[in-house]
């Protein structure tokens, strides 16, 4: 039988163990709900929120705390946010930025701390190639959407094109991906400012070039303004081709009828005939007033589900960061995109699809699945990764 002082000590130890067991899984989420990527950031936020609600606020059956902070798409502010997440909040996982420049800014600190960075959007070429890291997990690599678009442009027989994107890391990756596959001639390659809203000069350049078609990567508000001005400038007869980010539901809703018939490529679409995807889309539309989810929302949802599976697969032992990374590298959750695996650089090997903007049975403008452009496609940088 314990002596009184032993009983007190035992009680203290028991309380400490209970407190330790109750510590929540902590997730740092950098939101872009203001700034140049606000439209995409709002979509990602809604995907995160739905996943968190679906899981009852837990990860792997354990209590979880989701720390969501807007950093306005500013890489410097993102760095400050991640420093706080690491030093004060002691996060177990990180996700959230929309832009590749933000991902590149925060990656080194996260990797040094061995905190898994599950991307909810950006797939910079640097993290797929020479700067790959066992603690970074992509949802796609930037170039791949555009490689699929380049293949589609070849199949359509476009002999000469103009390509356009913002002048930042993702913009360069997206145009490089298109150029890697497209076999026709480029009449012009145009880089714009991030967050630009007036495209009169660029549209004049396109008009003068007289291409067969235009490929553009201008996500969110940039794409909305570009398409409106493009059609308003009388270029409707020159087809537009895009990666899904420039022709997703956020852009479609804002632009309206001029989006009809616009072809775009993505690794996911809301009408993929998969049980997990159907459940996600149904829940999203129910929660958000009938709105179709975008790629941003789908990837944010998958990012949380990936964390959930990893926590479960390591039995909640998050202190073993190497084991957590290995669990993430072998995804065991039902992704809304269907089956996929990770290449040696922790970027996915997966299908890429062709979508076209049409009207659904309710008369709403949305993307519809046309077919598969690339099957089990791996990015072009995996050979540069030393993992």
């Amino acid at each position: 039988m314990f002596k009184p002082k032993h009983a007190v000590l035992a009680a203290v130890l028991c309380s400490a163990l209970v407190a330790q067991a109750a510590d929540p899984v902590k997730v740092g989420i950098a939101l872009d709900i203001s700034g140049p990527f606000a439209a995409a950031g709002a979509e990602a936020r809604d995907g995160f929120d739905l996943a968190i609600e679906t899981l009852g606020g837990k990860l792997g059956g354990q209590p979880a705390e989701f720390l969501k902070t807007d950093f306005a798409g500013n890489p410097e502010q993102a760095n400050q946010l991640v420093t706080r997440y690491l030093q004060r909040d002691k996060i177990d996982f990180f996700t959230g930025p929309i832009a590749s420049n933000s991902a590149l800014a925060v990656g080194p600190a996260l990797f040094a701390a061995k905190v898994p960075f599950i991307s909810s959007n950006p797939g910079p070429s640097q993290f797929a190639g020479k700067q790959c890291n066992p603690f970074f997990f992509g949802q796609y690599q930037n170039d791949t959407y555009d490689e699929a678009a380049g293949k589609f442009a070849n199949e359509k027989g476009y002999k000469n094109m103009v390509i356009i994107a913002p002048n930042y890391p993702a913009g360069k990756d997206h145009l490089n991906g298109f150029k890697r596959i497209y076999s026709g001639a480029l009449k012009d390659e145009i880089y714009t400012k991030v967050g630009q809203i007036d495209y009169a000069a660029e549209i004049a350049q396109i008009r003068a070039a007289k291409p067969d078609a235009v490929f553009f990567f201008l996500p969110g508000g940039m794409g909305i303004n570009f398409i409106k001005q493009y059609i308003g400038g009388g270029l409707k007869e020159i087809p537009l081709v895009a990666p899904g980010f420039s022709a997703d539901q956020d852009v479609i809703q804002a632009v309206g009828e001029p989006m009809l018939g616009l072809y775009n490529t993505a690794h996911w679409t809301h009408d993929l005939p998969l049980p997990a995807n159907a459940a996600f889309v149904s829940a999203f539309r129910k929660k958000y007033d009938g709105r179709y989810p975008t790629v941003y929302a789908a990837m944010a949802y998958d990012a949380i589900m990936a964390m959930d599976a990893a926590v479960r697969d390591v039995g909640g032992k998050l202190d073993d960061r190497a084991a957590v990374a290995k669990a993430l590298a072998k995804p065991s959750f039902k992704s809304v995109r269907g089956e996929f695996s990770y290449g040696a650089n922790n970027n996915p090997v997966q299908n890429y699809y062709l979508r076209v903007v049409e009207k659904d049975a309710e008369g709403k403008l949305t993307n519809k699945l046309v077919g598969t452009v690339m099957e089990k496609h791996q990015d072009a940088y995996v050979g540069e990764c030393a993992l």
Side-chain angles (χ1 to χ4, degrees), residues 199 216 218-228 246 251 255:
Y199 294 92
F216 72 107
L218 292 162
M222 291 180 283
I224 291 166
N225 284 288
F226 175 76
I227 297 168
K228 286 181 175 179
S246 304
V251 180
V255 175

Side-chain angles (χ1 to χ4, degrees), residues 36 126 132 154 167 171 276 298 311 320:
Q126 293 89 337
C132 64
N154 291 339
N167 190 11
V311 174
D320 189 343

Side-chain angles (χ1 to χ4, degrees), residues 210-365:
K210 298 179 181 179
D212 291 340
V214 172
F215 173 78
F216 72 107
F217 167 69
L218 292 162
M222 291 180 283
I224 291 166
N225 284 288
F226 175 76
I227 297 168
K228 286 181 175 179
Q229 293 168 35
Y230 185 91
I231 300 300
L235 299 184
K236 186 177 181 180
E237 300 307 315
I238 302 176
L240 290 170
V241 179
F245 309 110
S246 304
D248 217 332
Q249 206 63 36
D250 56 330
V251 180
I252 293 170
Q253 284 182 316
V255 175
E257 295 282 332
M259 295 289 293
L260 277 169
L262 198 158
Y263 286 97
N264 61 98
T265 50
H267 78 291
W268 170 89
T269 186
H270 68 76
D271 53 350
L272 277 177
L274 303 166
N277 189 49
F280 160 66
V281 173
S282 177
F284 189 95
R285 298 194 72 190
K286 183 178 180 180
K287 183 175 176 65
Y288 298 113
D289 300 321
R291 189 172 96 245
Y292 284 110
T294 60
V295 169
Y296 300 108
M299 290 190 293
Y301 184 90
D302 259 8
I304 299 297
M305 293 301 172
M307 296 175 200
D308 176 63
V311 174
R312 182 183 62 245
D313 291 346
V314 298
K317 298 176 182 178
L318 300 182
D319 288 340
D320 189 343
R321 296 294 175 83
V324 174
K326 287 181 180 179
L328 286 164
K330 295 182 179 179
S332 61
F333 68 102
K334 295 293 184 182
S335 170
V336 298
R337 84 195 84 173
E339 294 296 324
F340 77 100
S341 60
Y342 280 116
N345 58 357
N346 283 350
N347 275 261
V349 179
Q350 60 193 0
N351 291 350
Y352 290 83
Y353 303 99
L354 180 66
R355 315 186 302 182
V356 65
V357 179
E358 293 184 355
K359 290 185 178 180
D360 67 7
E362 302 170 6
K364 292 183 178 180
L365 287 169

